Amino acid sequence: MNRSRFSLLSAAIFTTVVLSPWIDHATGQEVALTPLQATEVARGYRAETLKLKPVVNDKNETIGRINDFIFGKDGNIYVVLAVGDFTGLSGQLIAIPFRNLKLDDPSGYTVLPGASRGALEKLPVFVTNR
């Protein structure tokens, strides 16, 4: 057996034995949205339109602004709030679960029910390493 046939045979064996579990796994995943999912996505909110939006509590007191979003490796979404800042660019940054916000409040504001600026300022400061 000459050298080129040996390398070709080695590559074929490597691909079959080592890479085939990953190839099978990758081809089995669906990426496309169903029509129902696409409709639900279209009814959602773009992060860019929520960014820098004021956040109020249920007493209509402004407690901060949305500074950023964090997409956790666990699949959860977190909102980074700039507390006590009315521009959203400074202030104490804290992270809260996105699901805690009420986006469809009749007032038109983004509401964090039960929150106060004082209570939020006592939360650990959000620090990112990325």
Side-chain angles (χ1 to χ4, degrees), residues 34-105:
T34 66
L36 182 60
Q37 289 170 323
T39 301
E40 189 60 31
V41 168
R43 291 181 19 199
Y45 296 89
R46 292 179 52 98
E48 204 55 40
T49 60
L50 295 175
K51 198 167 181 181
L52 300 181
K53 227 179 152 182
V55 177
V56 301
N57 59 16
D58 11 28
K59 296 176 185 173
N60 247 8
E61 301 167 332
T62 302
I63 54 179
R65 287 192 182 260
I66 297 174
N67 178 276
D68 206 351
F69 299 90
I70 302 297
F71 301 91
K73 291 182 179 182
D74 59 0
N76 290 320
I77 301 170
Y78 301 91
V79 175
V80 178
L81 291 180
V83 178
D85 174 43
F86 301 106
T87 63
L89 302 173
S90 61
Q92 178 179 329
L93 298 180
I94 61 155
I96 60 165
F98 179 77
R99 67 179 172 274
N100 290 4
L101 293 177
K102 279 179 59 181
L103 301 176
D104 291 327
D105 192 73

